[in-house]
Amino acid sequence: MDNWLHTRAKAMRREPALYERRLWAILRDRRLEGLKFRRQVVIGRYVADFVCMRHRLIVEADGPHHDDRLRDAERDDWLRGQGFRVLRFPNQQIENRAHEVLAAIIAATNTKLKRD
């Protein structure tokens, strides 16, 4: 299964969904407050859209494949158990209120910094 997940993550990096592409254009190359994000990262049995390892922060772009709220909640609980904080943003918020998305990401990393 591990090899399958890595192959899947690689395929998702090659052909990202529209809103993942838009978010990645902002997060890549330390463009947002110098934060280093990686995309489509395998963590356990899951693939996270974007991860800032320094702050243990996962950012998810939630499209139509995230309609199973129970499954997402189980996934988020497991990831939190591994020490990650998970932020989820619906595609429409990424499209229409990107400034709110970016502010929430910055706030999450600033909150983490204050506790360090």
Side-chain angles (χ1 to χ4, degrees):
M1 181 164 147
D2 188 54
N3 193 31
W4 178 86
L5 268 180
H6 286 280
T7 301
R8 176 80 178 124
K10 189 174 183 177
M12 292 166 75
R13 281 191 296 273
R14 268 195 313 270
E15 294 193 30
L18 174 64
Y19 294 99
E20 288 174 4
R21 226 179 10 249
R22 288 183 179 173
L23 200 48
W24 182 238
I26 297 165
L27 298 177
R28 68 181 294 167
D29 298 327
R30 301 177 194 260
R31 292 178 184 169
L32 182 66
E33 301 286 316
L35 298 167
K36 178 167 177 53
F37 279 90
R38 294 171 44 210
R39 65 187 172 125
Q40 304 305 339
V41 178
V42 175
I43 301 173
R45 62 181 190 247
Y46 301 107
V47 179
D49 289 344
F50 306 100
V51 179
C52 179
M53 294 303 262
R54 176 175 181 220
H55 296 283
R56 307 285 291 174
L57 177 65
I58 294 172
V59 177
E60 292 288 318
D62 282 354
H65 61 280
H66 285 277
D67 285 340
D68 188 344
R69 301 270 183 227
L70 179 59
R71 194 169 178 188
D72 282 346
E74 290 171 1
R75 178 183 187 274
D76 292 354
D77 286 345
W78 186 87
L79 290 165
R80 278 193 290 276
Q82 305 306 303
F84 288 93
R85 183 167 179 193
V86 180
L87 298 180
R88 292 185 165 279
F89 300 102
N91 286 347
Q92 290 307 312
Q93 186 176 12
I94 295 168
E95 173 72 18
N96 299 319
R97 297 187 316 273
H99 62 283
E100 293 175 5
V101 172
L102 302 179
I105 293 169
I106 292 167
T109 59
N110 287 336
T111 300
K112 179 72 175 161
L113 279 176
K114 290 175 187 172
R115 284 189 248 147
D116 288 346

